[in-house]
């Protein structure tokens, strides 16, 4: 057989700003659906034995993005899962190409102000937000990223729905397996 590539696994990928709740909601939706949950930043940290903050600080953002791409490629070997990558994942067309067309990408919408309040002290774990004014930084990130985030297949607004409502909406968007 030639020509037709075999379809990849049907993952559900959650994108959006830091503080959107990609990991928290993703983990719950995965439990509800009885599918595996993959936190891509954790996978990178485990594989390389270093935190994301450490990789940013010592090797820079470009090095982190290369590892992020490598971790995304590894998703091809996983059963259909709920995946939470970091907030900059969607900026790389290569990442998107690695999971398409089999996966569904869902944008978890959050305002910068709500994201700041949700992250609380955990904001200090985010290399892009740990210095300066986090609210301003998130506003800038959203302005720069909005167009890319909007290329998602679906949007779930995390501020108008209840906590469980967000989880249910994510679960309902998971591709059938
Ligand atoms: C980043 C978000 C972080 C992490 C890295 C870069 C970003 O993940 O991947 O610090 O570019 O928005 P969270 O979105 O989980 O904070």
């Amino acid at each position: 057989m030639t020509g037709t590539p075999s379809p990849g696994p049907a993952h559900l990928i959650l994108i959006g700003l830091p503080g959107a709740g990609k990991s928290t909601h993703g983990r719950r939706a995965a439990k509800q659906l009885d599918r595996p949950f993959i936190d891509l930043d954790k996978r990178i940290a485990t594989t390389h034995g270093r935190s994301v903050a450490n990789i940013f600080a010592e090797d820079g953002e470009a090095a982190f993005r290369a590892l992020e791409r490598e971790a995304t490629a590894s998703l091809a070997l996983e059963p259909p899962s709920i995946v939470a990558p970091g907030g900059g994942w969607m900026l790389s067309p290569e990442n998107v190409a690695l999971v398409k067309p089999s996966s569904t990408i869902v944008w978890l919408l959050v305002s910068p102000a709500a994201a700041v309040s949700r992250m609380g002290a955990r904001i200090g774990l985010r290399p892009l937000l740990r210095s300066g004014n986090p609210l301003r930084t998130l506003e800038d990130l959203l302005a720069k990223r909005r167009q890319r985030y909007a290329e998602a297949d679906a949007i779930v607004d995390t501020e108008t729905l209840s906590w469980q409502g967000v989880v249910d909406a994510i679960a309902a968007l998971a591709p059938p397996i």
Side-chain angles (χ1 to χ4, degrees):
M1 283 241 286
T2 53
T4 322
S6 60
H11 298 306
L12 182 139
I13 316 251
L14 294 171
I15 62 157
L17 283 179
K22 301 182 291 292
S23 299
T24 314
H25 289 114
R27 190 172 283 108
R28 287 212 197 173
K31 198 164 179 204
Q32 196 159 302
L33 289 164
D34 200 20
R35 293 189 198 182
F37 172 71
I38 299 171
D39 181 318
L40 213 63
D41 278 358
K42 279 212 175 116
R43 171 166 290 197
I44 294 166
T46 307
T47 305
H48 298 278
R50 305 158 72 192
S51 69
V52 167
N54 181 282
I55 296 167
F56 261 74
E58 291 184 357
D59 299 347
E61 181 169 349
F64 170 74
R65 297 299 173 200
L67 300 182
E68 191 174 48
R69 199 156 47 247
E70 181 187 288
T72 302
S74 79
L75 295 175
L77 304 170
E78 301 289 348
S81 304
I82 310 299
V83 182
W89 180 90
M90 188 70 182
L91 303 186
S92 158
E94 250 181 294
N95 286 340
V96 176
L98 282 166
V99 301
K100 280 289 179 189
S102 50
S103 297
T104 299
I105 300 178
V106 176
W107 179 12
L108 288 191
L109 206 63
V110 69
S111 65
V116 168
S117 92
R118 275 185 207 167
M119 283 186 279
R122 283 172 295 115
I123 218 160
L125 300 174
R126 268 98 171 171
L128 296 177
L129 303 177
R130 63 190 350 173
S131 60
N133 177 335
L135 179 59
R136 269 296 299 277
T137 306
L138 282 171
E139 284 168 351
D140 288 348
L141 286 179
L142 183 58
K144 287 193 191 117
R145 294 176 174 181
R146 185 185 292 278
Q147 224 177 332
R148 297 287 314 189
Y149 285 169
E151 287 168 23
D153 300 298
I155 298 177
V156 172
D157 187 343
T158 66
E159 287 183 78
T160 55
L161 292 169
S162 68
W163 206 245
Q164 184 59 43
V166 174
V167 175
D168 290 342
I170 293 169
L173 288 163
I177 49 176

